[in-house]
Amino acid sequence: AGFLHFLHTQGLRTTLNLHPANGHQPWEDTYAEVARAMGIDPSSGKYVPFSPGDPKYVAVWQNVTLGRREQEGVDFWWLDWQQGEAMRGALKLPPDVNPTIWLNHLFWTKPIFKSDVFPPPPPPKALLEEGQKKEERNEVDSRRRPLLFHRFGGLGSHRYQVGFSGDVKPHWETLKYEVGFTAQAGNVLFGWWSHDIGGHTEPVGAELYTRWVQFGAFSPVF
């Protein structure tokens, strides 16, 4: 929390990467609260399944687990849902709902999941002016525009997240594809794209990395 506060004093905002498919595990610091809220005895050590189709689970996840980190200074989330559309039933989602775009929607509209049972934490201290009244602090928090870093969930995703193209292989063919792909994404109004500069899955040569950096410098999000 101290480091995040320092970054705020430098005018920087921070994000953390989330892989939510494994649910809540016993070693997490909010496990006991989440388990009890979802009707699981914490002493059992049983994990809490990830259920983004359950409003109660979403309220607990957003306000208790993620809210704790936001209170410490995390400004927005890099959501890394990699399971595609294969887990709809287990996620308690209707068969025609794409989990990726649904998660984008949840994070963009998460104030609707605020509740008296699982109240959200106060806004990060770094965003508040010293001496503000409670009503003024709430107004500051409500004016914060949502921000999310996530994968493309199909047509309509442009209204939500900044997109990233996933864990790409560092090949010349990949870079060539990304150049055209980024420009053409504007045809469906999705202009905010970011890519792994230099690839991700294996080492990259100096020449290819240099060209990728050059492309990144002129991309919507570097």
Side-chain angles (χ1 to χ4, degrees):
F3 177 65
L4 295 178
H5 176 70
F6 167 76
L7 293 178
H8 286 162
T9 65
Q10 303 303 304
L12 300 174
R13 295 292 176 258
T14 58
T15 183
L16 292 181
N17 182 254
L18 292 177
H19 286 257
N22 291 330
H24 288 72
Q25 302 293 338
W27 54 80
E28 298 184 44
D29 63 349
T30 60
Y31 167 75
E33 296 173 73
V34 174
R36 280 193 292 267
M38 299 307 299
I40 297 175
D41 181 2
S43 65
S44 69
K46 180 181 178 181
Y47 87 103
V48 181
F50 182 60
S51 304
D54 182 344
K56 182 178 180 181
Y57 174 85
V58 173
V60 178
W61 181 39
Q62 292 282 354
N63 296 332
V64 177
T65 301
L66 302 185
R68 191 72 51 80
R69 306 286 82 88
E70 290 170 358
Q71 187 177 20
E72 293 172 350
V74 175
D75 296 290
F76 66 101
W77 296 99
W78 172 5
L79 191 57
D80 211 338
W81 176 256
Q82 300 178 343
Q83 286 69 30
E85 303 180 34
M87 297 176 60
R88 286 190 179 114
L91 300 177
K92 297 184 179 181
L93 292 174
D96 59 344
V97 174
N98 181 316
T100 303
I101 199 168
W102 176 244
L103 287 168
N104 293 340
H105 177 74
L106 290 182
F107 273 78
W108 198 259
T109 60
K110 67 178 183 178
I112 68 172
F113 294 102
K114 304 303 185 184
S115 68
D116 295 332
V117 180
F118 308 107
K125 294 180 180 178
L127 297 179
L128 306 179
E129 295 293 334
E130 184 177 357
Q132 281 184 315
K133 297 180 181 179
K134 179 179 179 181
E135 294 77 11
E136 294 173 334
R137 293 199 300 268
N138 290 338
E139 184 179 354
V140 168
D141 194 45
S142 67
R143 289 201 305 264
R144 296 178 66 195
R145 183 180 180 184
L147 179 61
L148 174 65
F149 198 43
H150 196 202
R151 300 172 187 267
F152 184 68
L155 296 178
S157 290
H158 65 279
R159 75 188 74 173
Y160 300 122
Q161 82 283 11
V162 172
F164 78 102
S165 53
D167 304 336
V168 300
K169 295 182 178 180
H171 299 159
W172 285 102
E173 293 78 8
T174 305
L175 175 58
K176 179 180 178 180
Y177 178 83
E178 285 186 354
V179 173
F181 169 85
T182 304
Q184 294 171 23
N187 293 336
V188 292
L189 306 179
F190 203 125
W192 293 101
W193 273 101
S194 176
H195 306 289
D196 285 345
I197 301 299
H200 178 80
T201 59
E202 49 192 81
V204 59
E207 173 69 13
L208 176 56
Y209 184 75
T210 300
R211 299 306 178 193
W212 223 313
V213 170
Q214 291 175 330
F215 165 62
F218 292 97
S219 295
V221 180
F222 188 10

